[in-house]
Amino acid sequence: MYADDARWLVSTVLWKTASGQVDEQNYVYLAYRILRRVMNGTTCTAVIQSLIEGEGLMRSNYRVGVHCYGYQLSHRFLGDDWKQVRLIDPRLINRIKREEMRIEKQQAKRRRPIHRQLASIQE
């Protein structure tokens, strides 16, 4: 029922891994509050636990005040070919869009005149 949530989580881990947003052991840190904001809040924990128990993802230890849980694709899937699958759950699609807009607004608030000038030069 929540396959789109699981696909989104695995996809996020893959994209962050591919773009180098990992620690020394190749774990991608994802804050639970953000996961709950995007995935179904009531089943988020169950989806994550299912992926871990089904050996789709591995999770690092949580360290209070240091970092949140880290995730990485399980070793048995590292050599697999990728396949793009479209999301079909409109709730999840809307939550992803809302989270992207929230992040854009947050980044826009931090921008200074020099950032806007650099952006115009790059365009």
Side-chain angles (χ1 to χ4, degrees):
M1 182 171 174
Y2 297 103
D4 275 351
D5 287 351
R7 284 188 205 105
W8 175 80
L9 178 58
V10 170
S11 175
T12 301
V13 170
L14 285 171
W15 277 107
K16 287 184 173 279
T17 301
S19 63
Q21 299 176 37
V22 295
D23 69 356
E24 309 82 46
Q25 287 93 28
N26 289 324
Y27 282 100
V28 173
Y29 292 111
L30 299 171
Y32 187 69
R33 63 182 161 74
I34 295 173
L35 294 176
R36 281 188 59 136
R37 217 180 290 149
V38 175
M39 297 169 68
N40 185 318
T42 57
T43 59
C44 180
T45 303
V47 169
I48 293 170
Q49 199 60 37
S50 295
L51 286 169
I52 293 168
E53 289 173 3
E55 297 180 356
L57 289 178
M58 296 185 301
R59 182 168 62 185
S60 70
N61 294 328
Y62 177 78
R63 293 183 51 197
V64 178
V66 179
H67 60 74
C68 48
Y69 284 115
Y71 300 91
Q72 69 176 215
L73 194 61
S74 204
H75 294 298
R76 72 181 214 187
F77 295 111
L78 288 177
D80 287 358
D81 292 332
W82 65 276
K83 177 183 173 188
Q84 187 173 9
V85 179
R86 290 192 179 273
L87 295 177
I88 57 172
D89 184 356
R91 176 202 51 84
L92 180 63
I93 294 167
N94 290 333
R95 284 178 170 226
I96 291 170
K97 288 179 182 175
R98 190 173 51 221
E99 184 64 16
E100 288 172 349
M101 287 174 39
R102 186 191 68 79
I103 290 170
E104 284 179 26
K105 286 179 185 176
Q106 191 177 45
Q107 289 175 344
K109 286 181 184 177
R110 291 187 293 208
R111 286 200 178 110
R112 301 289 179 247
I114 186 67
H115 297 120
R116 287 186 282 279
Q117 184 180 5
L118 289 170
S120 68
I121 292 170
Q122 287 179 338
E123 284 179 9

